């Protein structure tokens, strides 16, 4: 049987540094668990623009369509702020999401025991937190037409369009219900049905799909109230499903509940390919952090845990994903902290590479 294929797109800023640590983990699985991958690497974002004049070369796009999974670091940086919209690093990522049709973006917000003190919320509010946000990723106001800045009489008008079809809502709802079935069978759908027609339709369609899942307790919340409830008592939630823009906001909020954006992975999944695996892209929730890039300060854990999600969702290997997540927990319990996680007196930060090495060490100990 041929090896499963991985396309690595480290991207910009801290992307290459954190991805170097994921490479160590991938090599470990090849050497110690017989899990060998056919790994290739390419450019996305600002670095692709520098080389090719576009944030995603067509050849890279074609490769991404063929592999079993894409692992992405981060894109963007101040150097590219003044580029035309169509050339910005972020467009590379958005093109991957859109053309691979990665409609279900899974963003777990999990509080690691050793880090419960890092949250800006009280410890008992976040300790043990484990929720999953399912964000619709290929439609809504991110892609709706018309869009642009137009002239209207004497002034300019900026336009974006929130647009959802029934089938777009139904398929992401189904992904969320399926996940809820494997978790605690609770799903909360968030929109603004009180002010937006697209929200009214969202609520109707999610309710209809819910009839196929009588074992899942479905609730609905306006997204603004959802933000409030997420900060008040996040443990009331299990799975949350929401649209592209609300999901962008709510997932950053949920991520920060856990203490650091440097800890959280994500999976973006599409329809199954011929081999049964979903089209998939895995990336940390954090960005390219240009302020600390190249200094060995970045936390590689979000990117490492993104690979754990790949093991679980693309390679159907939940037990090895568990092993990797446990290794991360072990390292944190030992007290290792990258600079983003400092706060305890007398703790000196470890570098990106030291954190990666420590996870490899914990994997060795797990054997
Ligand atoms: C995210 C990011 C992206 C988004 C940017 C980089 C385009 O914020 O993945 O949450 O807005 O979706
Ligand atoms: Mg975001």
């Amino acid at each position: 049987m041929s090896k499963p294929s991985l396309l690595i797109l480290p991207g910009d800023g801290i992307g290459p540094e954190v991805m170097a640590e994921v490479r160590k983990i991938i090599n470990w699985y090849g050497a110690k668990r017989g899990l060998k991958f056919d790994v290739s690497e390419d450019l996305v974002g600002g670095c692709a623009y520098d080389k090719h004049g576009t944030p995603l070369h067509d050849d890279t796009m074609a490769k991404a369509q063929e592999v079993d999974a894409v692992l992405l670091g981060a894109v963007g940086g101040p150097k590219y702020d003044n580029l035309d919209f169509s050339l910005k690093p972020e467009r590379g990522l958005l093109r991957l999401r859109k053309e691979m049709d990665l409609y279900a973006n899974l963003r777990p917000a999990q509080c690691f025991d050793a880090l419960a003190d890092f949250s800006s919320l009280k410890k008992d509010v976040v300790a043990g937190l484990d929720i999953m946000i399912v964000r619709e990723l290929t439609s809504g106001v991110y892609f709706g037409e018309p869009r642009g800045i137009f002239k209207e009489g004497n002034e300019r008008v900026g336009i974006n369009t929130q647009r959802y079809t029934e089938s777009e809502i139904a398929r992401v709802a189904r992904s969320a219900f399926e996940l809820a079935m494997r978790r605690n069978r609770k799903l909360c759908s968030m929109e603004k049905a009180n002010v937006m027609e697209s929200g009214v339709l969202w609520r109707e369609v999610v309710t209809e799909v819910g009839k196929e899942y009588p074992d899942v307790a479905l609730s609905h919340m306006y997204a603004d109230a959802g933000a409030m409830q997420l900060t008040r008592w996040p443990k009331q939630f299990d799975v949350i499903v929401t649209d592209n823009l609300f999901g962008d906001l709510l997932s950053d909020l949920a991520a920060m509940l856990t203490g650091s954006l440097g800890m959280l992975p994500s999976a973006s999944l599409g329809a199954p390919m011929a081999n049964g695996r979903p089209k998939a892209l895995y990336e940390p929730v954090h960005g390219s952090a240009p302020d600390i890039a190249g200094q060995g300060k970045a936390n590689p854990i979000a990117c490492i845990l993104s690979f754990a999600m790949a093991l679980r969702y693309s390679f159907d290997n939940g037990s090895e994903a568990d092993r990797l997540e446990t290794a991360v927990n072990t390292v944190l319990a030992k007290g290792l902290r990258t600079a983003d996680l400092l706060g305890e007196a007398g703790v000196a930060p470890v570098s990106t590479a030291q954190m990666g090495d420590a996870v490899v060490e914990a994997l060795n100990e797990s054997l």
Side-chain angles (χ1 to χ4, degrees):
M1 219 176 76
S2 65
K3 291 184 277 187
S5 52
L6 278 179
L7 173 62
I8 294 192
L9 302 173
D12 306 319
I14 60 171
E17 290 163 69
V18 294
M19 199 58 88
E21 303 314 306
V22 178
R23 284 267 194 179
K24 293 178 186 169
I25 309 290
I26 294 171
N27 291 341
W28 185 89
Y29 273 102
K32 299 291 170 66
R33 304 300 298 155
L35 273 177
K36 296 196 193 297
F37 295 93
D38 188 355
V39 182
S40 55
E41 187 167 321
D42 212 328
L43 303 174
V44 67
C47 58
Y49 173 78
D50 288 340
K51 176 139 188 236
H52 302 299
T54 163
L56 187 73
H57 195 279
D58 289 346
D59 293 349
T60 317
M61 185 65 241
K63 255 190 247 169
Q65 295 283 19
E66 277 162 21
V67 291
D68 291 311
V70 178
L71 287 181
L72 187 138
V75 295
K79 187 175 156 195
Y80 309 103
D81 279 353
N82 296 323
L83 281 181
D84 183 72
F85 218 67
S86 63
L87 298 174
K88 281 189 187 297
E90 290 78 5
R91 298 308 302 177
L93 176 57
L94 294 174
R95 181 176 175 201
L96 282 164
R97 291 173 179 174
K98 186 71 180 173
E99 291 191 21
M100 292 171 76
D101 204 17
L102 305 171
Y103 57 86
N105 180 217
L106 279 44
R107 299 193 162 184
Q110 228 174 326
C111 187
F112 292 82
D113 291 342
L115 300 182
D117 282 323
F118 283 87
S119 176
S120 49
L121 299 188
K122 292 195 188 83
K123 186 168 179 171
D124 67 316
V125 177
V126 295
L129 179 71
D130 178 6
I131 60 183
M132 179 71 89
I133 297 192
V134 181
R135 167 189 177 193
E136 198 292 323
L137 203 60
T138 52
S139 186
V141 76
Y142 270 60
F143 297 99
E145 300 281 349
R147 65 183 297 161
I149 301 176
F150 305 98
K151 195 90 184 167
E152 217 175 73
N154 288 331
E155 63 171 356
R156 289 168 303 162
V157 48
I159 297 180
N160 290 90
T161 302
Q162 166 83 336
R163 180 180 193 278
Y164 270 107
T165 64
E166 277 188 272
S167 52
E168 286 170 339
I169 301 168
R171 64 183 186 171
V172 71
R174 213 160 262 124
S175 301
F177 277 109
E178 290 291 336
L179 264 171
M181 285 295 286
R182 281 184 265 141
R183 294 172 49 103
N184 296 318
R185 304 193 168 191
K186 248 168 67 176
L187 176 63
C188 183
S189 170
M190 296 188 186
E191 27 55 18
K192 287 279 290 176
N194 50 344
V195 284
M196 298 164 76
E197 284 78 2
S198 60
V200 173
L201 183 68
W202 183 280
R203 190 175 283 219
E204 279 174 22
V205 174
V206 172
T207 305
E208 282 159 27
V209 173
K211 299 204 175 98
E212 298 164 30
Y213 298 90
D215 295 338
V216 176
L218 172 65
S219 59
H220 303 271
M221 220 178 253
Y222 298 140
D224 53 344
M228 184 270 283
Q229 290 295 341
L230 266 171
T231 37
R232 191 184 69 83
W233 190 246
K235 284 186 244 179
Q236 70 187 279
F237 298 108
D238 178 27
V239 181
I240 292 172
V241 64
T242 189
D243 76 12
N244 204 343
L245 182 60
F246 293 141
D248 184 39
L249 305 180
L250 293 170
S251 63
D252 264 23
L253 190 160
M256 206 56 215
L257 295 176
T258 70
S260 168
L261 221 45
M263 299 294 302
L264 294 175
S266 78
S268 304
L269 306 176
M273 300 184 282
N275 61 13
R277 294 184 174 124
K279 275 260 165 78
L281 180 146
Y282 299 88
E283 58 176 321
V285 171
H286 64 68
S288 61
D291 52 322
I292 58 162
Q295 301 170 34
K297 285 185 185 165
N299 185 348
I301 290 180
C303 206
I304 289 173
L305 291 175
S306 298
F307 179 64
M309 289 188 92
L311 289 172
R312 177 168 288 120
Y313 294 106
S314 281
F315 304 115
D316 211 16
N317 204 330
S319 59
E320 292 300 340
D322 287 345
R323 179 195 300 280
L324 183 49
E325 287 162 1
T326 304
V328 166
N329 254 316
T330 305
V331 167
L332 293 171
K334 282 184 188 160
L336 271 82
R337 304 281 183 265
T338 40
D340 55 312
L341 300 176
L342 290 182
E344 294 140 304
V347 180
V350 300
S351 69
T352 310
Q354 284 169 326
M355 187 58 106
D357 291 340
V359 176
V360 170
E361 192 49 45
L363 285 171
N364 280 327
E365 286 162 16
S366 78
L367 294 177

